[in-house]
Amino acid sequence: MIGVVSRAHCAQAQPAHASGKKLLDVTDVILDNGAPVGDTVLQLQNSSEKTGPFSTLGGALVMNMLRCEVAQRLVDRGIEPVFLPSHQFVGSRSVEEQLEYFYAQYARRIAPLYARQGTNSP
């Protein structure tokens, strides 16, 4: 199991689960989103309060970097990844073809998972 967390925050946080374990204790791999303790990055002027949550942004960055790394490793193995093109350019015939291809590949790859529904096979 892979967990995306702030190591800094987790290290000082109290466990919320009855087992007394934190996500750090039960995952195989931790991807640190880089958020500071409290998940805030901005001290407000003339206030004791802080705001500016970072974990969502940091988590998105980590996931996109992971996606890039996986794509490169696939290419290095001679496997061409299929990417979902930006919808920003819809209207272009090539983008429409890419979208159709992406969803066709997705359906082909996920079909075996649905075929096993209702069976005792994992």
Side-chain angles (χ1 to χ4, degrees):
M1 178 176 18
I2 298 172
V4 179
V5 299
S6 164
R7 280 192 182 273
H9 185 83
C10 271
Q12 62 80 44
Q14 295 298 314
H17 194 268
S19 69
K21 293 183 178 182
K22 300 178 186 181
L23 188 58
L24 293 171
D25 300 322
V26 297
T27 54
D28 301 305
V29 176
I30 293 292
L31 301 176
D32 190 346
N33 66 23
V37 174
D39 193 23
T40 54
V41 294
L42 178 67
Q43 178 67 52
L44 297 173
Q45 292 182 10
N46 304 319
S47 175
S48 62
E49 299 298 320
K50 291 177 77 175
T51 190
F54 181 80
S55 60
T56 303
L57 180 62
L61 176 65
V62 166
M63 297 310 294
N64 281 314
M65 296 300 291
L66 180 61
R67 177 182 181 267
C68 292
E69 180 65 24
V70 168
Q72 185 60 61
R73 289 183 183 205
L74 288 171
V75 169
D76 291 348
R77 289 177 174 84
I79 302 167
E80 192 63 33
V82 177
F83 297 108
L84 180 62
S86 171
H87 290 79
Q88 185 174 15
F89 301 109
V90 169
S92 160
R93 186 62 195 144
S94 65
V95 171
E96 289 173 13
E97 290 168 359
Q98 286 178 326
L99 280 169
E100 289 174 16
Y101 181 72
F102 174 85
Y103 286 117
Q105 291 299 309
Y106 177 78
R108 181 182 64 80
R109 292 175 181 176
I110 202 166
L113 298 174
Y114 285 102
R116 292 193 308 243
Q117 293 296 313
T119 68
N120 292 329
S121 301

